[in-house]
C-alpha cells in the first residue's frame, strides 16, 4: 500500500515539474515585454541620463589624465 502511494506522489511531482516549465518561459517573456515598454516610454529621459553620465565620466577622466 505504501509503495503505491509513493509512486503516485512521484508521478504527481513529475507532472507538476513538467507543468511549471512552461510558466518560466511565459514569465520571462512578460518581463521582457514590460522592460521594453518602459524603455520606449522613458526613452528621452533615459537618453539624457546616459548622456549626462558619459559627460561626467569624460570630464572626470580628463582631470585624472591631466
Amino acid at each position: 500500500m505504501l509503495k503505491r502511494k509513493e509512486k503516485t506522489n512521484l508521478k504527481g511531482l513529475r507532472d507538476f515539474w513538467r507543468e511549471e516549465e512552461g510558466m518560466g518561459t511565459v514569465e520571462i517573456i512578460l518581463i521582457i515585454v514590460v522592460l521594453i515598454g518602459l524603455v520606449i516610454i522613458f526613452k528621452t529621459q533615459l537618453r539624457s541620463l546616459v548622456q549626462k553620465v558619459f559627460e561626467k565620466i569624460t570630464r572626470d577622466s580628463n582631470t585624472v589624465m591631466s
Side-chain angles (χ1 to χ4, degrees):
M1 176 95 181
L2 187 59
K3 295 243 182 208
R4 183 187 299 172
K5 190 171 187 175
E6 286 177 1
K7 286 182 182 180
T8 304
N9 286 341
L10 289 176
K11 185 177 185 293
L13 182 62
R14 265 185 278 150
D15 291 342
F16 176 75
W17 183 258
R18 288 182 185 147
E19 180 182 330
E20 292 297 313
E21 285 180 11
M23 290 299 293
T25 304
V26 171
E27 290 168 354
I28 290 172
I29 290 171
L30 286 174
I31 290 170
I32 290 171
V33 166
V34 168
L35 288 175
I36 289 171
L38 288 172
V39 167
I40 290 170
I41 291 171
F42 297 109
K43 183 170 65 173
T44 56
Q45 290 91 342
L46 287 171
R47 185 176 287 151
S48 70
L49 176 68
V50 170
Q51 187 175 3
K52 287 177 186 177
V53 168
F54 278 117
E55 287 173 358
K56 182 164 176 47
I57 290 172
T58 303
R59 263 184 288 145
D60 289 348
S61 68
N62 286 338
T63 59
V64 169
M65 298 300 277
S66 297

